[in-house]
Amino acid sequence: MKTNKFITIYNDLKEKIQSNEYAPDHKLPSENELADQYRTSRETTRKALNLLAQNGFIQKIKGKGSIVLDVNKMNFPVSGLVSFKEVARKIGKEVSTHVHELSLDEMDEELQKKLNAKQGEKVWKVVRTREIDGESVILDKDYFLQKTVPSLTKTICENSIYEYIENELNVTISFAKKEITVEETTPEDIELLDIKDHTHIVQVKNYVYLEDANVFQYTESRHRLDKFRFVDFARRTHG
Amino acid sequence: MKTNKFITIYNDLKEKIQSNEYAPDHKLPSENELADQYRTSRETTRKALNLLAQNGFIQKIKGKGSIVLDVNKMNFPVSGLVSFKEVARKIGKEVSTHVHELSLDEMDEELQKKLNAKQGEKVWKVVRTREIDGESVILDKDYFLQKTVPSLTKTICENSIYEYIENELNVTISFAKKEITVEETTPEDIELLDIKDHTHIVQVKNYVYLEDANVFQYTESRHRLDKFRFVDFARRTHG
DNA sequence: AAGTGGTCTAGACCACAGT
DNA sequence: CTGTGGTCTAGACCACTTG
């Protein structure tokens, strides 16, 4: 696997920021200096710096330079495409996953629409609950098009489906859309989750798209109110 | 105001996509063709295309081309830095804002920490409720550092504070962090909002940063459960 | 083999901040 | 004035898709 030059520079600078070699509120070397250091052109250096800026490590200011941001203070985005396992590891809690259902089903009309699929295509349906510190707090229903995920096993579902998809299959995830709303608890929620006296749950609908801009997964996540937390990090972009 | 070449191209292509001149699932002209058409270099064209991709208008696929996405189907991000007025206009509802409090205060310790401010600095505190279709559903508490927002009036608060800040003052907003959690309703919620029988509200903490990477605004938004909806649009980025 | 997007280069001019 | 980041250019090579 050959790595691009600007990715190499990005990773190097990222590590130096995280290890405090470049400390918060201080400035990075200028673009010209960095281009010299890494024996590359300025445009390539700029690509690396723009990535750092996009991911919240630095802030570029015209006429001044690139300022290192306080990574810890920003308390990084648990947003986007991060998998449950990664999040769990991050918060350092005792977690586990229980698979309640794993089946290859026909789709009803609504699901067909959500996945933008044809009549007759089949989907994997996976129902899982997530336990944190011994309490069942998240109910996940995942739907994968069989077209892109030919087979699935219980073992895979108990670990990270994302890892399996990205590493074992040759599929690249491109972007995801999330919709967060609050809904009334259903009998199923009460059955599968350790609901306290709550009348509502937080519902997260997640649409995952591939490189070719087709949806291939739809997930409905139902979170116990008191255990829900979502962080979003929005950068202003041109236009 | 001089516009950059790549922004011009971006806007032109964006309009052509929105007006269906370039239809969903079809391909844009190649980068070389576009570079010819706009009498510019390929790299500049690429900058425009990358912006379109970032904002969800197209999907670039190596070896193939740039495919136009279905803008309507994706139901665009109401996420990030969009102001209440913009969102309101988008959903086309009858909305209004009521200012309950507008004062220049000392900060307590907690707020000082949140705004990363020094002892003795003062903040504008603004308490507003938002009415949609005659019901009071959002309670906003904004805190602005006086250092960056010297003066505020009730009229400004009734309209868009963001518009005032970005247009009248010479301040550029750079990025924002949001934290979404669910909290128990307080007596203040019940007093100022049309709460039904709900025991909880959705709380959105919003930290807004300037170009120099300092926080200048902290907002706590409290939303009635049944009227809350948040859309997030996450693109995969390198690294 | 031809065409596409992805990376990289070396050089140029600009707008802005600090002196 | 100098140095910074922002934009733009013309050309090169690569990896990938498709015929």
Side-chain angles (χ1 to χ4, degrees):
Chain A
M1 177 65 184
K2 196 203 161 278
T3 350
N4 297 326
K5 204 174 271 195
F6 77 91
I7 299 280
T8 310
I9 300 174
Y10 166 77
N11 284 326
D12 192 57
L13 291 174
K14 190 174 92 172
E15 275 172 35
K16 285 182 175 161
I17 289 171
Q18 285 170 331
S19 71
N20 239 311
E21 191 165 332
Y22 291 126
D25 290 329
H26 289 238
K27 281 194 290 202
L28 245 47
S30 77
E31 297 183 347
N32 283 315
E33 279 180 78
L34 288 171
D36 280 352
Q37 278 181 33
Y38 290 101
R39 297 171 188 287
T40 181
S41 70
R42 196 179 142 219
E43 281 290 3
T44 300
T45 307
R46 281 176 54 70
K47 260 180 147 175
L49 291 179
N50 285 334
L51 247 193
L52 285 171
Q54 240 176 63
N55 293 5
F57 290 98
I58 63 170
Q59 184 74 13
K60 305 181 82 180
I61 305 177
K62 193 195 298 202
K64 279 190 171 173
S66 300
I67 298 172
V68 177
L69 299 182
D70 196 335
V71 182
N72 297 326
K73 186 171 278 173
M74 319 233 84
N75 194 4
F76 250 53
V78 186
S79 114
L81 303 159
V82 187
S83 76
F84 177 71
K85 265 195 112 169
E86 290 177 73
V87 176
R89 205 169 24 232
K90 209 164 266 177
I91 59 178
K93 296 271 190 172
E94 191 66 37
V95 296
S96 61
T97 298
H98 297 275
V99 180
H100 295 272
E101 193 181 334
L102 168 60
S103 56
L104 187 57
D105 290 4
E106 306 287 338
M107 283 184 274
D108 62 22
E109 206 165 323
E110 199 183 352
L111 191 57
Q112 230 174 85
K113 214 161 133 191
K114 284 197 166 86
L115 287 168
N116 199 19
K118 292 190 196 70
Q119 189 79 36
E121 281 193 74
K122 290 195 171 180
V123 282
W124 288 102
K125 178 180 180 185
V126 185
V127 180
R128 294 181 289 181
T129 52
R130 317 294 202 156
E131 242 179 51
I132 302 182
D133 286 340
E135 283 188 305
S136 196
V137 296
I138 308 177
L139 171 59
D140 276 352
K141 291 188 200 175
D142 295 83
Y143 301 90
F144 300 89
L145 283 177
Q146 195 200 7
K147 197 172 50 178
T148 43
V149 184
S151 75
L152 262 185
T153 67
K154 200 165 176 237
T155 312
I156 294 171
C157 295
E158 275 163 354
N159 293 282
S160 176
I161 296 185
Y162 273 98
E163 258 172 45
Y164 170 70
I165 288 172
E166 291 232 286
N167 300 340
E168 302 297 315
L169 305 164
N170 201 12
V171 170
T172 311
I173 291 165
S174 153
F175 54 96
K177 195 184 89 166
K178 284 184 166 51
E179 278 181 48
I180 303 176
T181 55
V182 180
E183 307 289 336
E184 294 181 3
T185 51
T186 64
E188 192 184 23
D189 296 330
I190 294 171
E191 186 195 334
L192 297 177
L193 296 178
D194 292 327
I195 300 280
K196 305 205 159 167
D197 55 353
H198 302 130
T199 55
H200 292 72
I201 53 91
V202 179
Q203 175 183 259
V204 181
K205 290 184 179 179
N206 195 19
Y207 300 80
V208 181
Y209 294 76
L210 297 179
E211 260 195 343
D212 60 3
N214 283 321
V215 188
F216 94 106
Q217 180 198 359
Y218 169 69
T219 300
E220 240 179 72
S221 253
R222 300 172 77 83
H223 299 247
R224 209 172 80 183
L225 284 187
D226 56 328
K227 292 294 181 181
F228 179 77
R229 181 189 147 93
F230 181 80
V231 181
D232 178 65
F233 197 76
R235 274 199 123 56
R236 169 142 284 184
T237 155
H238 293 94
Chain B
M1 178 64 184
K2 195 203 164 275
T3 349
N4 296 326
K5 203 173 273 195
F6 77 92
I7 299 281
T8 311
I9 300 174
Y10 166 78
N11 285 327
D12 192 55
L13 292 174
K14 189 174 93 172
E15 274 172 36
K16 285 181 176 160
I17 289 172
Q18 285 170 332
S19 71
N20 238 310
E21 190 166 332
Y22 291 127
D25 290 328
H26 288 238
K27 282 195 290 203
L28 247 46
S30 76
E31 297 182 346
N32 282 315
E33 280 180 78
L34 288 171
D36 280 352
Q37 277 181 35
Y38 289 102
R39 298 170 188 288
T40 181
S41 69
R42 198 181 138 217
E43 282 289 1
T44 301
T45 307
R46 281 176 54 71
K47 260 180 147 174
L49 291 179
N50 286 333
L51 247 193
L52 285 170
Q54 238 176 66
N55 293 4
F57 291 99
I58 63 171
Q59 186 74 11
K60 305 182 81 181
I61 304 178
K62 191 197 299 201
K64 280 190 172 172
S66 299
I67 298 172
V68 178
L69 299 182
D70 196 334
V71 182
N72 296 326
K73 187 170 279 174
M74 319 234 79
N75 195 5
F76 249 57
V78 186
S79 115
L81 303 157
V82 186
S83 76
F84 178 72
K85 263 193 114 171
E86 290 177 72
V87 177
R89 204 169 24 230
K90 207 163 269 179
I91 59 177
K93 296 270 189 173
E94 190 68 36
V95 295
S96 61
T97 299
H98 298 275
V99 180
H100 294 271
E101 191 181 336
L102 169 60
S103 56
L104 189 56
D105 291 3
E106 307 285 340
M107 283 183 275
D108 62 23
E109 205 164 323
E110 199 183 354
L111 191 57
Q112 233 175 81
K113 215 160 131 191
K114 284 197 166 87
L115 288 167
N116 199 17
K118 292 191 197 68
Q119 188 80 38
E121 281 193 72
K122 289 195 173 179
V123 281
W124 288 101
K125 178 182 180 184
V126 185
V127 179
R128 295 181 288 182
T129 53
R130 317 294 202 156
E131 242 180 51
I132 301 182
D133 287 340
E135 283 188 303
S136 198
V137 295
I138 307 175
L139 170 59
D140 276 350
K141 291 187 199 176
D142 295 83
Y143 301 90
F144 300 89
L145 282 177
Q146 194 198 9
K147 197 171 52 177
T148 42
V149 185
S151 75
L152 261 187
T153 67
K154 197 162 176 242
T155 312
I156 293 172
C157 294
E158 275 163 354
N159 294 282
S160 176
I161 297 185
Y162 273 97
E163 257 171 46
Y164 170 71
I165 288 172
E166 290 232 285
N167 301 340
E168 302 298 315
L169 304 166
N170 201 13
V171 170
T172 310
I173 290 164
S174 154
F175 54 96
K177 195 184 87 165
K178 286 185 164 54
E179 276 181 48
I180 303 176
T181 54
V182 179
E183 307 289 336
E184 292 182 3
T185 52
T186 65
E188 191 184 26
D189 296 329
I190 294 170
E191 185 196 335
L192 296 176
L193 296 178
D194 294 327
I195 299 279
K196 305 208 158 164
D197 54 355
H198 301 130
T199 54
H200 292 74
I201 53 91
V202 179
Q203 176 183 259
V204 181
K205 290 184 178 180
N206 196 19
Y207 300 81
V208 182
Y209 294 77
L210 297 178
E211 262 194 343
D212 60 4
N214 284 320
V215 189
F216 96 105
Q217 180 197 358
Y218 169 70
T219 299
E220 240 177 71
S221 253
R222 300 172 77 83
H223 300 247
R224 207 172 82 185
L225 283 188
D226 56 326
K227 293 293 183 184
F228 178 76
R229 181 190 148 94
F230 180 80
V231 180
D232 178 65
F233 198 77
R235 273 200 126 55
R236 168 143 285 184
T237 156
H238 292 93

